[in-house]
Amino acid sequence: MKFFIDTANLAQIKEAHELGILDGVTTNPSLMAKEGIKGHEAVMNHYKAICEMVDGDISAEVIATDFDGIVAEGKALAALHPNIVVKVPMIKDGVKAIKWFTDNGIRTNCTLVFSAGQAILCAKAGAAYVSPFIGRIDDSGWDGVQLIEQISHIYTVQGFKTEILAASIRNPNHIIRCAEAGADVCTCPLDSILGLLKHPLTDIGLAKFLEDAKKTQ
Ligand code: G3P
């Protein structure tokens, strides 16, 4: 399973990258706004800065919701760097645009996916990635990981090539359960990635080893 970081914060991207386990980055308009990135040029420059930091797929989201607008924005984003993956919302014109991008050699990540039916449409349109939002499904009283299992089963049975990118990850357990459920990628906040490191027995064991090591010196 690949690890992407879900942020537009350059310091957090750097920290995850330095761990040596980072395969890519996903962003969205909310994450860009959180970093105070404002104006078209600043947004484009920020994507370029991320591409220069991480040698992996970088998802950059379109704002347009009509076919022509999505295609125009996606073409401009894809022209920024070969690693840019155009993130397109799961709407009717989005599906049409994903098919257009597929036919024209531009890779896409279909976002805001909350059902298996939507995931089938993403795959049919040739999206490189489908992004089911695990945490938001959990928030509404359903089980997000169950959706990952369902999509994984459908894609295997049908031989679809679209990769399952589990998004809206909220904690380390989400990452573990998505790995079990067959996600190809987890895009996570830095805290959830670092949370995988933690176990009290590791800390207790290390303290004991270090204490005993003093006796050997
Ligand atoms: O990037 C899309 C997704 O990961 C958003 O997560 O936490 O806003 O539901 P969240």
Side-chain angles (χ1 to χ4, degrees):
M1 186 175 75
K2 288 182 274 189
F3 265 48
F4 290 179
I5 188 166
D6 194 29
T7 185
N9 182 286
L10 297 183
Q12 291 188 10
I13 293 170
K14 185 168 180 283
E15 189 175 338
H17 183 50
E18 284 173 356
L19 262 181
I21 50 86
L22 193 64
D23 300 300
V25 181
T26 53
T27 61
N28 63 39
S30 304
L31 294 171
M32 295 290 275
K34 197 171 159 192
E35 298 310 312
I37 318 294
K38 202 167 166 59
H40 179 72
E41 203 182 328
V43 168
M44 297 307 243
N45 285 338
H46 201 74
Y47 287 137
K48 279 198 262 184
I50 295 173
C51 290
E52 280 158 21
M53 286 176 77
V54 178
D55 184 20
D57 286 349
I58 312 297
S59 287
E61 188 159 340
V62 298
I63 312 297
T65 53
D66 64 294
F67 175 80
D68 290 337
I70 294 171
V71 167
E73 262 187 61
K75 279 161 76 176
L77 290 168
L80 287 175
H81 194 280
N83 289 350
I84 290 280
V85 176
V86 179
K87 207 168 172 188
V88 179
M90 172 38 75
I91 53 176
K92 198 171 174 185
D93 278 26
V95 173
K96 278 169 65 178
I98 288 169
K99 179 68 172 82
W100 187 92
F101 288 130
T102 304
D103 292 345
N104 288 275
I106 293 175
R107 292 177 311 135
T108 52
N109 171 0
C110 186
T111 190
L112 291 166
V113 167
F114 294 91
S115 76
Q118 291 177 327
I120 290 171
L121 283 177
C122 294
K124 288 294 291 175
Y129 297 104
V130 58
S131 286
F133 276 28
I134 303 311
R136 293 191 196 184
I137 293 173
D138 285 2
D139 290 346
S140 52
W142 299 72
D143 184 351
V145 177
Q146 252 177 26
L147 178 61
I148 299 291
E149 282 168 12
Q150 191 182 18
I151 297 170
S152 178
H153 178 70
I154 291 168
Y155 280 13
T156 302
V157 167
Q158 297 297 331
F160 288 137
K161 301 285 176 250
T162 298
E163 291 189 66
I164 304 169
L165 193 166
S168 186
I169 296 288
R170 299 279 164 76
N171 54 59
N173 197 39
H174 267 158
I175 302 175
I176 296 162
R177 291 190 62 217
C178 284
E180 284 177 334
D184 299 289
V185 190
C186 254
T187 189
C188 326
L190 181 62
D191 282 355
S192 298
I193 298 175
L194 296 179
L196 292 172
L197 281 167
K198 291 181 194 155
H199 198 288
L201 290 178
T202 303
D203 299 337
I204 293 166
L206 181 61
K208 175 77 174 131
F209 283 155
L210 293 178
E211 189 188 313
D212 289 344
K214 286 184 199 151
K215 299 174 195 162
T216 68
Q217 284 163 4

